[in-house]
Amino acid sequence: MCPLSPCFHPVSLSAYTTQTISEFAPHVMAVAMSNFSEEGRLYLNLTTKEGHQFTVEQSSQGFQVVGYSLNAKDVVGQPIYETPAALLNTVSLEYTRAFASHLIYKLEALAEDQFILSLTSCRLVSD
């Protein structure tokens, strides 16, 4: 069940938003709670690594850009994204590049670990 569903206590929504901020933080220039909130909705101020500023609404439906500046709600009809990563992929090319680089690094490390494991698990058979 989604932690933002109505049966959860508002403290849970705040805790979930704190978790969301920690997910965003390494991939953006800045992220923080906005000055306003509504029942069942919290707002985040987001500045991408490119310096673009957004206000993002977080609700039980997901994440949606609602403003093209900080503390703004002046945009309607934007797509709703299920995850912070999905939203960031659409608004920040630097996020996409950083994520791809991080993924490549992890895959290379895994390949190296597998290669080392294969070398250390070889058994030499002598006649």
Side-chain angles (χ1 to χ4, degrees), residues 34-70:
S34 178
N35 292 337
F36 50 86
S37 66
E38 296 173 7
E39 181 69 31
R41 300 174 189 278
L42 290 174
Y43 297 87
L44 301 171
N45 287 327
L46 173 71
T47 304
T48 66
K49 291 194 179 218
E50 296 91 346
H52 303 262
Q53 296 181 331
F54 300 94
T55 301
V56 175
E57 178 185 279
Q58 180 178 356
S59 70
S60 60
Q61 293 179 333
F63 300 87
Q64 181 179 35
V65 172
V66 295
Y68 291 119
S69 59
L70 303 181

Side-chain angles (χ1 to χ4, degrees), residues 56-123:
V56 175
E57 178 185 279
Q58 180 178 356
S59 70
S60 60
Q61 293 179 333
F63 300 87
Q64 181 179 35
V65 172
V66 295
Y68 291 119
S69 59
L70 303 181
N71 293 310
K73 284 184 13 183
D74 54 5
V75 177
V76 295
Q78 293 298 306
I80 298 172
Y81 299 95
E82 201 169 301
T83 65
L87 185 140
L88 281 171
N89 267 321
T90 63
V91 299
S92 176
L93 183 57
E94 286 303 314
Y95 168 78
T96 305
R97 286 182 181 148
F99 181 82
S101 294
H102 181 71
L103 183 58
I104 289 168
Y105 171 79
K106 290 288 193 180
L107 289 171
E108 286 173 344
L110 179 62
E112 185 176 322
D113 289 349
Q114 291 296 318
F115 178 71
I116 291 170
L117 181 63
S118 71
L119 289 177
T120 58
S121 64
C122 288
R123 297 186 187 262

